Amino acid sequence: MGLFTPKRPIEIAERPLRAPWSLWADTFGRLATRALQIILVLIVVAGMVFAMTQLTVVIIPVMLALILAAAFAPVMGWMRRRGVPSVLATVLALLAIVVVLGGVVWLIVNAVRDQFGELVDQASEGFDRVVEWVTTLPFAPTDDQITGARDAVVEFLTSAQFGSGALAGVSAAASFVTGLVLMVVVLFFFLKDGPRIWEFLLRPFEGEPYARAKRIGGKTVETLGGYVRGTATVAFVDAVGIGVVLWIMQVPLALPLAVLVFLLAFIPLVGATVAGALATLVALVANDWISALIVLGAVIVVNQLEGNFLQPVVMGRSLKLHALVILIALTVGTVLGGIVGAVLSVPIAAVAWGITQVWDGDDRPARMFRQKRPEIA
């Protein structure tokens, strides 16, 4: 063999060829695969969230109708077992919902209309007292700064920007009416044909996927219904307790404040705090600081009673979420859907957690969510 005989081709021929897909089998390949999967999942989730934010006029009424239908599911089942025709049972349940919601709105409007002028006068007087107290502080703003702030508020209220905001409010009111009508119609069909609608949606599934979808549907209705009924019970007790204290202390707008406590109680963690702070502020402005302290004490007692007794007993297992999860869900829901998003975020999170608990069986959570058993030494 010569000195310059080529040896490289022989070495290449003897070396085994590596399949192209084997590049994805090592550590970095698996990491890249997982990264691509995560990116694709995030893109799909972002697309779904974007679509939901663009279709809030449809999504929110349908979700509200689903929650109300789940809350009245036991009533519908009871009437059907008693032989009440499906249409009649649906009409009765729908009338009950309309009467309850209409009664709440009527209480708020009627009470505010009767005492609104008095509250405005007292609030103005209270604002002047707060301004006088602020001027005594070492870092108090000057009279020119206070006057400038007032002029800025007046200028904004008379500006074109505020007018465009008012027009946006008119558009929002029209969307609200549209959504309300849609919710009533969808709720009627959910109450009347809810089980049949779900069975129609499950036609493509067979075997274990069908059984899993059935478990998911049952768990969703159970979780949403238990959450709404439990929260309504707790909210009613809170509203009655705080409303009685406000009535005893002769605080103006005691009735609408109690109704507001009831409504805000549907926002976990933050709702009760905001309602209690508002009731305390009204008591301070309308009466004096002693009444405000009494109202604040009543709010604290009611909140402690709710957190330590009512929610564990009434809510049962319908809401087994950590406080951090609830807080994150509230933040995300508020950013995406405002007040309605804050109300819907927690029951949606509870449903998602409930679905993971029945993924592989009635009492068998999904594998990745199963509690690990401690190893015995």
Side-chain angles (χ1 to χ4, degrees), residues 36 38 78 123 150 208 242 254 290 296 305 317 353:
L36 288 175
I38 292 173
W78 181 84
R150 287 181 175 177
E208 176 56 29
I242 297 178
I290 298 179
L296 178 61
L305 176 65
R317 300 183 59 185
W353 177 247

Side-chain angles (χ1 to χ4, degrees), residues 129-283:
R129 284 191 296 173
V130 170
V131 170
E132 292 176 1
W133 174 74
V134 169
T135 55
T136 61
L137 298 176
F139 50 87
T142 62
D143 294 339
D144 294 338
Q145 291 174 333
I146 297 176
T147 305
R150 287 181 175 177
D151 294 341
V153 173
V154 173
E155 182 180 356
F156 171 74
L157 294 178
T158 57
S159 64
Q161 182 180 1
F162 181 79
S164 62
L167 293 178
V170 174
S171 176
S175 299
F176 173 79
V177 174
T178 304
L180 181 62
V181 174
L182 179 61
M183 186 196 72
V184 172
V185 175
V186 174
L187 178 59
F188 175 84
F189 288 107
F190 278 173
L191 290 173
K192 179 177 177 293
D193 300 321
R196 288 197 292 174
I197 293 175
W198 186 241
E199 283 294 336
F200 175 79
L201 295 176
L202 297 185
R203 285 185 178 183
F205 300 98
E206 295 179 357
E208 176 56 29
Y210 174 79
R212 176 177 294 162
K214 289 284 289 184
R215 291 195 302 269
I216 289 175
K219 189 64 177 180
T220 299
V221 173
E222 176 187 350
T223 303
L224 288 178
Y227 174 81
V228 173
R229 292 188 296 270
T231 304
T233 303
V234 173
F236 178 78
V237 174
D238 291 351
V240 170
I242 297 178
V244 167
V245 174
L246 292 174
W247 177 73
I248 293 175
M249 301 306 300
Q250 299 296 315
V251 177
L253 293 176
L255 181 58
L257 284 175
V259 176
L260 188 61
V261 169
F262 176 82
L263 296 177
L264 290 179
F266 282 87
I267 306 178
L269 297 182
V270 225
T273 304
V274 172
L278 183 59
T280 304
L281 179 62
V282 172

Side-chain angles (χ1 to χ4, degrees), residues 51-52 54-65 175 178-179 182-183 186:
M52 292 175 63
Q54 299 301 311
L55 298 174
T56 52
V57 179
V58 178
I59 298 295
I60 291 180
V62 171
M63 295 183 65
L64 289 175
S175 299
T178 304
L182 179 61
M183 186 196 72
V186 174

Side-chain angles (χ1 to χ4, degrees), residues 270 324-338 341-342 345-346:
V270 225
L324 179 60
V325 178
I326 295 177
L327 184 60
I328 294 175
L330 281 175
T331 305
V332 174
T334 304
V335 170
L336 295 178
S345 58
V346 176

